[in-house]
Structure formats: structure tokens, C-alpha cells
Amino acid sequence: MKLGSYIVKRSLLMLLVMFGVLAIVFAIVHVIPADPVGALLGGNAPPAVVDRIKTQLGLNKPLFDQFVDYLWGVVHGNLGTSLQSGRAVAQDIMEYFPVTLQLSVMAILISIFLGIFLGVFSAVYRNKWIDHFSRIFSILGVSMPVFWTGLILLLVFYYILGWLPGTGQLSLFVIPPDRITGMILFDSLITGNWTALWDGLRHIILPATVLGYSATASIARITRASMLDVLTQDYIRTAKAKGLSKSIVIYRHALKNALIPVVTVIGLTFGGLLEGAVLTETVFGLPGLGRYIVNALLVLDYPAIMGGTLFIALIYSLVNLGVDLIYATLDPRMRT
């Protein structure tokens, strides 16, 4: 199968997945026995006002008609209007998502660096102390909940030691940079606001480490397994027999081929970080998309819940599509 046909096939599958996510989220939200209008107006609202609001929101229509209307709006880029903020959900997402994206990018960078480092050394020095340490580190990373890890790091590095700041993106006395991308670090770098850049880096260390810990564990284990498999191949023995140095054999020959499955894991992990940011943003008080969805759940803001969930699913699907294309480029056998 040619690469162009593969791209078309994967894109169509992605659209099918998005439709399934939309249908499932819509069904779950509307099956919940709760009244969003009652939560919005309060229990003492006059029935006439409640009926008028339901008519404006289209909640008095049959469920199938509501689904068709919502699907039609999504196709045209309309995710509805938030009951809490009164603004378009798409506008709210564009305001909150940059915080989540910045956190996820920093977390995946930490995960890639530490994960590949631990994975390579675990494979090269198999059954040595670094291998045992990496195994214990990975088990803890997969086992410990994100919110628990976040609270422990806040207790140690913020409350007890005082080395790093606690919640938020910037300290109160630091002037934020002009909004360009919505990401504090990038906006500070673009505008040359070095004070905000340094303060923002100190604020993001803890949440990025917490969010990336479990991802680091997964990447380390996959890298180790892949490296162990590659190191037994004939061309590695040939490279050693030719007298090449150990570092050249490991990094130029073994690691390059071992990274093919790791690329897939990194892509899937990055998509998962967007989802896992919900708890991290809540613990560290970051105004991201995850916290926005949590607040929407608390007040039964149906349009915000559905729009935010659908947007995360879209980003996850796009990341997976990108990983599939990279993998198909590196390994043509994947196209079949």
C-alpha cells in the first residue's frame, strides 16, 4: 500500500473514531439523571423561566433531534455555548488549552529524556544496580496515582524544603507576558520577559515531573525491552567484531533501530498526558483544559463537558495519526 493510500485510510478511521466518541459522550451526558438548567438557575427558579431556558438550549427536543443538532454544529465548528461562562465552548477551549499543552510538552520532554536514558542503561548493564533501580522506578511510576505523587512533591519541595513554588503559573509579584500563544513560557521567551520565564519554569517543574513520571516508566520499560532485542542481532555482533567503540555500537547502531517501537509509545503517551493533566491541573491549581472540564462537571455544564471531551479525543486521535504516519515511514511493513 502506498503512503498516500495509507494516510487516507487512517484519516477515515480517525473520523469514525471521532464519531463514536461523540455519540458515546453525548449518550453518557444525557443519561445522567440531572437537570443542567436546574443547576444553572437554582431550585427556586419559576417553571416558566426553566421552560424558556430549555427551549433556548434545545433541551425540550427529542434526544435524537438534539444529537443531530449537536453533530451538525460540531461539523461546522460550533461546540455550543457554555452554561457557566456564557461564551462559546470553542472560545473557552482556546483559552484554557494552551496551559494544558505547555504542561504536556514539558512532561513528555522529561519523560523522553529520563525514559530513554534509563532504558538504554538498563539494557546495556542488565541485572546490574542501574537495571534494578530502573525496574523499581518504573513500578513505582506506574503504580502511584498522579494526585498522590503531586501532593507528596508539594509537601516535600514546597512546604518542607521551600525549593520550588506551589500552585499556579506565576508568582503574584511577577508581571505576566503579553498573550500570544497562551503558554507562559513561550510568550515570555518571545517577548523577552526573562523574569516571567524563570518564574514560570520554576512553577512548572513539579507538575511536569508529576505528569511525566508514569510516562517515564512506560518509555523506560519499552526502551529496555527493545534494546535487549536489538543487542542480540547479528549486525551488532558484527559491529563489535569490527572493533567499533562501545558507545558507537550502542548509540549509532543499537539505539537507532531500537527507537522504532519507542516512537509509537511516545506518541500514545503524549496523547495520554493530555487526559492525565486533569488531576495534575487540579492539584497544582493550573487553569488548563482539564480543570475547565472538572469545573464543568461540578455545575453540569453539558456543552462544556462534551466540547472539552471531544476536543481531547480529537487531539489524541491526531497524535495517534501522526505516530502511525511516522511509523509507516520508518517501517514500510506497517502500511500493510
Side-chain angles (χ1 to χ4, degrees):
M1 182 185 298
K2 294 182 178 180
L3 185 59
S5 301
Y6 182 79
I7 294 175
V8 173
K9 179 182 177 181
R10 296 299 301 169
S11 300
L12 292 177
L13 288 176
M14 187 190 74
L15 292 177
L16 183 61
V17 169
M18 291 303 303
F19 177 79
V21 170
L22 188 150
I24 293 173
V25 172
F26 184 89
I28 292 176
V29 167
H30 285 79
V31 164
I32 297 175
D35 183 12
V37 177
L40 177 66
L41 300 178
N44 299 323
V49 176
V50 174
D51 292 339
R52 179 167 56 84
I53 297 298
K54 286 186 176 180
T55 302
Q56 292 177 355
L57 298 176
L59 297 178
N60 59 337
K61 296 181 179 180
L63 194 60
F64 180 77
D65 293 343
Q66 294 183 44
F67 177 74
V68 172
D69 291 342
Y70 187 72
L71 179 61
W72 181 255
V74 169
V75 171
H76 290 80
N78 181 15
L79 299 178
T81 302
S82 172
L83 303 180
Q84 185 178 13
S85 66
R87 300 184 302 180
V89 173
Q91 181 181 353
D92 284 345
I93 290 175
M94 289 300 102
E95 178 178 343
Y96 289 100
F97 178 67
V99 178
T100 301
L101 180 60
Q102 175 180 265
L103 175 61
S104 300
V105 169
M106 295 298 294
I108 197 64
L109 290 178
I110 294 175
S111 302
I112 292 173
F113 176 77
L114 290 180
I116 294 179
F117 175 83
L118 289 175
V120 170
F121 275 82
S122 296
V124 174
Y125 301 100
R126 185 179 182 182
N127 294 327
K128 300 296 177 58
W129 71 267
I130 184 66
D131 189 22
H132 298 311
F133 170 79
S134 176
R135 188 179 295 113
I136 296 174
F137 181 85
S138 300
I139 293 174
L140 291 176
V142 174
S143 304
M144 292 191 301
V146 171
F147 68 88
W148 188 85
T149 307
L151 293 175
I152 292 298
L153 291 186
L154 277 175
L155 175 64
V156 174
F157 292 99
Y158 169 63
Y159 183 76
I160 297 178
L161 299 177
W163 291 353
L164 294 171
T167 59
Q169 298 187 88
L170 292 174
S171 301
L172 293 176
F173 57 86
V174 175
I175 301 176
D178 296 333
R179 183 182 177 90
I180 300 176
T181 64
M183 294 179 279
I184 293 292
L185 298 182
F186 289 94
D187 291 348
S188 300
L189 188 62
I190 294 173
T191 59
N193 190 339
W194 310 119
T195 301
L197 177 63
W198 171 245
D199 193 67
L201 283 172
R202 295 182 70 245
H203 274 80
I204 205 171
I205 288 176
L206 286 182
T209 301
V210 170
L211 185 60
Y213 185 18
S214 60
T216 300
S218 301
I219 294 174
R221 300 314 296 170
I222 295 297
T223 304
R224 178 184 183 275
S226 182
M227 281 289 294
L228 287 175
D229 179 64
V230 170
L231 288 174
T232 60
Q233 300 298 317
D234 292 337
Y235 66 88
I236 296 297
R237 287 192 289 268
T238 302
K240 292 179 180 179
K242 290 169 61 178
L244 296 178
S245 64
K246 185 176 181 180
S247 59
I248 292 179
V249 172
I250 293 174
Y251 295 106
R252 183 176 298 179
H253 296 277
L255 181 59
K256 182 179 180 180
N257 292 281
L259 284 180
I260 294 178
V262 178
V263 169
T264 303
V265 175
I266 291 174
L268 296 175
T269 301
F270 180 69
L273 291 180
L274 297 174
E275 178 184 356
V278 174
L279 292 176
T280 306
E281 290 171 0
T282 303
V283 171
F284 288 93
L286 299 175
L289 185 58
R291 194 177 179 189
Y292 171 74
I293 296 176
V294 170
N295 292 334
L297 286 168
L298 296 177
V299 297
L300 299 178
D301 190 348
Y302 284 3
I305 296 171
M306 292 188 295
T309 306
L310 189 63
F311 183 78
I312 289 179
L314 175 63
I315 297 298
Y316 194 93
S317 298
L318 289 175
V319 170
N320 287 342
L321 176 62
V323 170
D324 287 341
L325 297 181
I326 294 174
Y327 204 27
T329 303
L330 296 176
D331 189 355
R333 294 174 298 177
M334 286 295 299
R335 304 175 195 175
T336 60

